[in-house]
Amino acid sequence: MPEESSKPSAEIIDISDTPELFLELLPNDWKLELESNWKEFAPAVKVYGIKLNQELIGGGLVFSDQTSETDNYPPVAEYYFDNGFLYIGYLWVAEIFRGQNLGDFWLNSIFEMYPKNPFWLSIEDAGLAKFYLKNGFTLEREVMYSGGKDWIYVRKSASDLV
């Protein structure tokens, strides 16, 4: 008889009703930014956590509409949201759990939850490009704004990828 796997299994959970569970995990600068904007973000965002062995160890946000999160490039945001794209923001995994493909797991779970939607995101750190490229995103454009430069990545919907 095969032994049951003792490997921990991760799951994605919707914690939109208790976003503070996710916010508590984040670095202080992210946490403060989200807390100060949460009243505005809440109607346009879903919070999905990564649960591993009954412990919340990461997660991210899926925005369905424009908020101040995308204020650095309003015409770009307007175009994507008007065309059914969802915006991914604040994807984060606790450092001790990194290197286990949990960020990939989170993204793929989100893609499965929203198979008809394409996605977009912005990054400030060029070092993150490899991660998003590996997960099916392509670089769409660079955007210069008063605070610096962001790179916009997009991923087509599952139905467009077939």
Side-chain angles (χ1 to χ4, degrees), residues 33 36-38 40-41 63 65-73 90:
E33 184 177 339
S36 65
N37 291 301
W38 195 254
E40 176 210 350
F41 287 2
F63 291 81
D65 204 354
Q66 232 172 316
T67 66
S68 59
E69 170 64 14
T70 57
D71 273 356
N72 292 327
Y73 21 81
Y90 299 92

Coordinates of all heavy atoms in Angstrom, one line a residue, residues 33 36-38 40-41 63 65-73 90:
E33 N 1.5 51.2 3.0 CA 0.8 51.6 1.7 C -0.5 51.0 1.5 O -1.5 51.7 1.2 CB 1.7 51.3 0.5 CG 1.2 51.8 -0.8 CD 2.2 51.5 -1.9 OE1 3.4 51.2 -1.7 OE2 1.7 51.5 -3.1
S36 N -3.1 52.4 4.2 CA -3.5 53.7 4.0 C -4.5 53.9 2.8 O -5.2 54.9 2.7 CB -2.3 54.7 3.8 OG -1.6 54.4 2.7
N37 N -4.5 52.9 1.9 CA -5.3 53.0 0.7 C -6.4 51.9 0.7 O -7.2 51.8 -0.3 CB -4.4 52.7 -0.6 CG -3.5 53.9 -0.9 OD1 -3.9 55.0 -1.0 ND2 -2.2 53.6 -0.8
W38 N -6.6 51.2 1.8 CA -7.5 50.0 1.7 C -8.9 50.4 1.5 O -9.6 49.7 0.8 CB -7.3 49.1 3.0 CG -8.0 47.8 2.7 CD1 -9.2 47.4 3.2 CD2 -7.5 46.8 1.8 NE1 -9.4 46.1 2.6 CE2 -8.4 45.8 1.8 CE3 -6.3 46.7 1.0 CZ2 -8.2 44.7 1.0 CZ3 -6.2 45.6 0.3 CH2 -7.1 44.6 0.3
E40 N -10.1 52.6 -0.3 CA -10.3 52.8 -1.8 C -10.1 51.5 -2.5 O -10.9 51.2 -3.5 CB -9.2 53.8 -2.3 CG -9.2 54.0 -3.8 CD -7.9 54.3 -4.4 OE1 -6.9 54.6 -3.7 OE2 -7.8 54.3 -5.6
F41 N -9.1 50.7 -2.2 CA -8.9 49.5 -2.9 C -9.9 48.4 -2.7 O -10.2 47.6 -3.6 CB -7.5 48.8 -2.4 CG -6.3 49.5 -2.8 CD1 -6.3 50.7 -3.6 CD2 -5.1 49.0 -2.5 CE1 -5.2 51.3 -4.0 CE2 -3.9 49.7 -2.9 CZ -3.9 50.8 -3.6
F63 N -6.7 43.0 -8.7 CA -7.6 44.2 -8.9 C -8.4 44.1 -10.2 O -7.9 43.7 -11.2 CB -6.7 45.5 -9.1 CG -5.9 45.9 -7.9 CD1 -4.7 45.3 -7.5 CD2 -6.4 46.9 -7.1 CE1 -4.0 45.7 -6.4 CE2 -5.7 47.4 -6.0 CZ -4.5 46.7 -5.6
D65 N -10.4 46.8 -11.2 CA -10.7 48.2 -11.6 C -9.5 49.1 -11.2 O -8.7 48.8 -10.3 CB -12.0 48.7 -11.0 CG -12.7 49.8 -11.8 OD1 -12.1 50.3 -12.8 OD2 -13.8 50.2 -11.4
Q66 N -9.5 50.3 -11.8 CA -8.5 51.3 -11.6 C -8.6 51.8 -10.1 O -9.7 52.1 -9.6 CB -8.7 52.4 -12.6 CG -7.4 52.8 -13.3 CD -7.7 53.8 -14.4 OE1 -8.6 53.7 -15.1 NE2 -6.8 54.7 -14.5
T67 N -7.4 51.9 -9.5 CA -7.3 52.5 -8.2 C -6.0 53.4 -8.2 O -5.3 53.5 -9.2 CB -7.1 51.5 -7.1 OG1 -5.9 50.8 -7.3 CG2 -8.3 50.5 -7.1
S68 N -5.7 54.0 -7.1 CA -4.5 54.8 -7.0 C -3.2 53.9 -7.2 O -2.2 54.4 -7.5 CB -4.4 55.6 -5.7 OG -4.4 54.6 -4.6
E69 N -3.4 52.6 -7.1 CA -2.3 51.7 -7.4 C -1.7 51.9 -8.8 O -0.5 51.7 -9.0 CB -2.7 50.2 -7.1 CG -1.8 49.2 -7.6 CD -0.4 49.1 -6.8 OE1 -0.3 49.8 -5.8 OE2 0.5 48.5 -7.3
T70 N -2.6 52.2 -9.7 CA -2.2 52.4 -11.1 C -2.2 53.8 -11.6 O -2.2 54.1 -12.8 CB -3.0 51.5 -12.0 OG1 -4.4 51.9 -11.8 CG2 -2.9 50.0 -11.7
D71 N -2.2 54.8 -10.6 CA -2.3 56.2 -11.0 C -1.0 56.7 -11.7 O -1.1 57.8 -12.3 CB -2.4 57.0 -9.7 CG -3.9 57.2 -9.3 OD1 -4.8 56.7 -10.1 OD2 -4.2 57.8 -8.3
N72 N 0.1 56.0 -11.7 CA 1.3 56.5 -12.4 C 1.1 56.5 -13.9 O 1.9 57.1 -14.6 CB 2.5 55.7 -12.0 CG 2.9 55.9 -10.6 OD1 2.7 57.0 -10.0 ND2 3.4 54.9 -9.9
Y73 N 0.1 55.7 -14.4 CA -0.1 55.5 -15.8 C -1.5 55.3 -16.1 O -1.9 54.2 -16.5 CB 0.8 54.4 -16.4 CG 1.2 53.4 -15.4 CD1 0.4 52.4 -15.0 CD2 2.5 53.5 -14.8 CE1 0.8 51.5 -14.0 CE2 2.9 52.6 -13.8 CZ 2.1 51.6 -13.4 OH 2.5 50.7 -12.5
Y90 N 1.2 43.2 -5.4 CA 1.6 42.8 -4.1 C 1.8 41.3 -3.9 O 1.5 40.8 -2.8 CB 0.7 43.4 -3.0 CG 0.6 44.9 -3.0 CD1 -0.3 45.6 -3.8 CD2 1.5 45.6 -2.3 CE1 -0.3 46.9 -3.8 CE2 1.5 47.0 -2.3 CZ 0.6 47.7 -3.1 OH 0.5 49.0 -3.1

